[in-house]
Each structure stands twice: as C-alpha cells, then as structure tokens.
Amino acid sequence: MISYRLILLDTTDPLHLRLILGSHLAQYLRQRLEAEHGYTATVGISTNKLIAKLVGNVHKPDSQTTLLPPYTSTDDTPTDNVTTFIDEHEIGKIPGIGFKTAQKLRVLVLQRPADFDTGLVYGGTKESVYVANVRNTPGLGPEELERLLGGSGAPQGIGARVWDLINGCDDSPVGQARDVPTQISIEDSYIRLDTLDQVIKELRLLSFSLLKRMHADLLETEEADNATEETISSGPTKRWMAHPKTLRLTTRPRPPQNPDGSRNRSFARISKSTTMPNFMFSLKEEHEVLVQKLVYEILLPLFRRLHPEKSGWNLSLVNLAVANMVGAASDKGGSGRDIAKMFKRQDDVLRQFRVWDEDDVDKVVSEHQEDGSEAPVEDVLGNTLPTEEQHRPHEIMEYADHDFDVVEPTKFLPPALDTRGSEDVPTSSQAGARSGDPWEEEDEDILDDDTFHCQVCGAVMPLFAMGAHERWHMQE
DNA sequence: GTGGGGGAG
DNA sequence: CGTTCTCCCCCAC
C-alpha cells in the first residue's frame, strides 16, 4: 500500500532540501535497480547511516522512507524528530548495540539482574528497554557508559560511541563494497558430535565445501579475449585473485550439564590456526586428494590442539575458515559505478541545487552529531520517563502517519529551484531520450551529458530529479 | 600473526 | 518470529 504525503518544500532550509534530493535519488536508484536487474529494494533517507538504516525499516518491502525535519530541538520545536524517532526503539535494535551490550544496558536501566533469558533456548524473554529509558537514566553519559561497557577487549571509546548512538549521532563513513571477501568460512552445527570418526567425516565435508567456495569466490576465469593455443588446449585460464594466508579450525564445545540438569548456554568458540598449505591452491589435483591431505595433515593436528583429550568432548559446531587474504587484485571494489563518482560527474548540475556551500552542508550534518552528544536530556523528553500509555505509543503513531514516510518521494520539485541557464544543453534531454548510461560515461561535457532539462519549462536538473519534476507539472 | 569477543545480516 | 551460517572488525598478547 502506498501512503505518501505531500511535503511543502522549505527552500530556505538546506537540510530539508537535502533530504528531498536524497529521496529523489533513492527513488531513481530503486527504479533502475528493479528495471535493469530485477531487484526490489528498501531504503531509508536521513543525514547519517544510523538514522537512515532505522528509518528504512518503517516501510518494509520495496519502499522508502525519509525522516523529515526538524532534526534539532529549538524553542519552537522542543521535540526534534531524530530523538523522537530513535526513542521508540528497543535498545537492542540499534545497529552497533548487540546482544551483550544491550543486556548490560537493560540491567543498568532495570536496576536488577534483568530477566536474562531464563526459560527459553535462545534470547528468550528479554524485557524491553527503550533508547529513551537508557538516555534518560540519571547521571548517564559517555563516561559512565565507558565504565560500564569498556574494559579489556572492548573497542576504544565504546562509551562515547554508544552515547552517540542513543542520541541519533553516527559519523561512521560509508564504506566501499569489497570485490573479494577477507575471509571465507564454512560451518555446521551438530546435536551431537563426540567421536573422532564423526569429526573426520565432518571435516571432509567442510573441506569440500570450502574448496568449492575458494574456487567460486577467489578464482578468476580469464575470458580468453584472444584464444591462444593454451586456452584452446586447456580451457579457460584460471588464476587466484587472492591467496588466503591462514587456515583456521574453530569448534564450539557443548557446555557440560549442570548437576541440576540445566543447560549453561554458551556460545564460546575456540580456534586454532595455521598457515595455509600451498597444495590447497592446486588447480590440477582432484579435490578428493586435496581434501584427504588437508584433513589428515593439517586439520587433525589442529583438532588435537583444540581437543587434546581422546574423548569427553561434544561439539555443537565446527567451522573451517580461510582468512588473511593477500590480494592479487585490489581488495576494495571501485568499478566506477559508485554514487560518489556519479555525484562528482554531475557536480555542475548539482551545483544549481546547492543553495548552500560545502561547508554549510557539513555543518548541517555535524550539527546534530555534535549537539546531540552534549544535548541536555531535558531538551527532548524532560526528566520523567514516559509511560507507555500517555506518551510513547500515541505520539509515535502520529509520527509514523504524518511525519516520516515519503514513500514515492515528493510529488514535486518547484521550478524556482532548478531553473537556470539551460540554453546550452541539448534539446533531447529527457531521461528516455538519452543514449548511454550516465554513470558509465567518462569525462568531458559533463554538463551536457548529465544534465536534463524539462521540455515544458526548461528547468535544468540531474537525471534522478526528472521523474519528480514531471509529476510536479502533472499536478499543477 | 594468533585467539577471542562482539556484532550484522 | 527465532535460529543458523557467514562475514566483519576490534583488541590483547
């Protein structure tokens, strides 16, 4: 069901404008992804990854959602949407706060050993604690969180990081997709695995799978551009794109029964690793042979290091991994089809939309990030925790219905924004009229190639805004 | 480099 | 929804 609302575009608010453009871009990207590759997608639009990801959950399949301003609290708007939005989330739902951290925070808020996960097999009946409950805990701040969550093994600055997260702040960069994984692993879990014979059998199976995966993921087939004698006689040339340097065997021993018969759930894994044996890269030997060698020469010795006792153990999981890829090719992707590059090429076009300069853009983003960290809790909800009935659910429903959600982004883009110097662009500039892929196009005539203008009013705009602009004309 | 903890999807 | 199978990053040693 499509339920979208019209948004009055506030051209004096750069944040608002930026979100609208982001929404158009998302719409355009989703359309192309489906038209050209058959994939539907869901996206969230906001000023950082954290909020964008969370808001993307609001309208789930094949849709998109934008978190609208206000993003900061003022006298007029004492409740900014970022805070209101993030507050409704259960603490464990926040990306970056996993099972362990969430449990500690629940204990902190509930002030009691917390209904851990007594009866059930897995996460069980955890009690819901919301972001607002955590953030409004008296005396809580980055330092207190660091004391609670920090310690040996914890990442540097975990306290500040978590504090930022529950304030809707996230400055983590958008990363590049990898073309080759840093690690490949195969694992299986077992109800009961307690004899060496069984282990050997499973190690064989895992080894076969791993070998297949290595070939599928790390082997590059050279498409013989000119069929040499070699390629004719021995088939397509294959070569390793990356060589893992490490082989690792991991097990998860089943925790022994307590005297009272209860199960001590433990996910603890133990592992041993060794340097990757070279024969595993053989492209000539039969897999059977390689697997046999691997199991007896490498894996069984590793296994005996993990489990020196002949018996007595019972494994619930075995994992076999290759890691530490040393790449022949570049580890990181970058085929050229990324959005940053697209924006670079369309820079001239986009400049027309950029009614503020780069510095201001950064400020809009970081304003919330930095303010949020320091923001007094009273700004948002006051000191009293909202009760279920009177505050949260009601207000949140209101928001869900009226303030988020720009599914089918905006219906229009006012011409005031995008009219400007359109005389030197080609006449046929509708999206459909273009010949090539604007993303693929290299260099020169950037303006000409990536600029489109409306046949009705002559407004100039980037490709992804064309649809919205046309809709704007239609509803006039 | 090895082994373990925590987390995402 | 909960569980399984991967994959990732960080840290101490």
Side-chain angles (χ1 to χ4, degrees), chain A residues 22-35:
Chain A
S23 167
H24 289 310
L25 177 57
Q27 172 84 350
Y28 168 78
L29 259 19
R30 290 200 300 115
Q31 254 162 20
R32 281 195 51 182
L33 185 63
E34 181 160 17

Side-chain angles (χ1 to χ4, degrees), chain A residues 240-290:
Chain A
W240 295 99
M241 291 186 288
H243 286 81
K245 285 198 306 190
T246 309
L247 179 77
R248 185 179 60 228
L249 180 64
T250 304
T251 65
R252 185 175 67 196
R254 195 176 302 285
Q257 297 258 91
N258 286 341
D260 60 353
S262 66
R263 47 279 160 125
N264 254 5
R265 277 197 312 103
S266 163
F267 299 100
R269 294 173 172 218
I270 50 178
S271 70
K272 295 291 174 198
S273 50
T274 185
T275 55
M276 185 76 183
N278 272 323
F279 63 78
M280 285 290 280
F281 299 116
S282 168
L283 296 176
K284 304 182 175 172
E285 204 62 80
E286 297 285 347
H287 282 202
E288 274 77 7
V289 178
L290 298 178

Side-chain angles (χ1 to χ4, degrees), chain A residues 28-219:
Chain A
Y28 168 78
L29 259 19
R30 290 200 300 115
Q31 254 162 20
R32 281 195 51 182
L33 185 63
E34 181 160 17
E36 295 170 26
H37 300 284
Y39 294 114
T40 62
T42 298
V43 355
I45 297 99
S46 188
T47 48
N48 66 44
K49 280 200 295 180
L50 170 71
I51 304 299
K53 177 163 177 55
L54 288 176
V55 82
N57 291 329
V58 174
H59 297 285
K60 252 321 233 197
D62 191 16
S63 186
Q64 66 180 69
T65 311
T66 304
L67 182 66
L68 294 181
Y71 273 32
T72 49
S73 305
T74 67
D75 292 341
D76 289 342
T77 56
T79 54
D80 67 278
N81 275 353
V82 173
T83 308
T84 311
F85 175 67
I86 200 158
D87 273 2
E88 74 184 275
H89 290 84
E90 210 283 328
I91 189 64
K93 289 279 194 303
I94 303 303
I97 298 180
F99 180 76
K100 298 280 190 176
T101 309
Q103 279 300 346
K104 288 181 187 168
L105 293 174
R106 289 185 192 111
V107 171
L108 173 76
V109 168
L110 296 170
Q111 287 297 319
R112 54 180 156 81
D115 186 355
F116 209 25
D117 29 53
T118 32
L120 295 167
V121 201
Y122 200 65
T125 55
K126 60 172 196 248
E127 292 167 86
S128 287
V129 165
Y130 293 90
V131 170
N133 303 141
V134 180
R135 202 191 48 255
N136 293 327
T137 298
L140 195 65
E143 303 84 5
E144 184 61 28
L145 284 171
E146 184 69 39
R147 280 190 283 279
L148 178 69
L149 306 172
S152 180
Q156 272 305 309
I158 177 92
R161 168 80 180 141
V162 167
W163 181 251
D164 280 354
L165 289 176
I166 63 181
N167 279 279
C169 304
D170 171 24
D171 60 3
S172 66
V174 174
Q176 284 277 319
R178 256 177 266 271
D179 52 353
V180 167
T182 62
Q183 170 181 311
I184 298 173
S185 73
I186 301 288
E187 73 185 28
D188 210 341
S189 52
Y190 309 92
I191 306 291
R192 179 192 162 111
L193 186 63
D194 56 3
T195 72
L196 200 57
D197 277 358
Q198 290 174 315
V199 166
I200 290 171
K201 177 166 167 270
E202 297 306 326
L203 287 179
R204 298 191 103 94
L205 290 173
L206 292 172
S207 299
F208 266 114
S209 301
L210 185 65
L211 209 43
K212 265 198 210 125
R213 280 291 306 282
M214 284 174 59
H215 280 245
D217 294 0
L218 302 180
L219 220 43

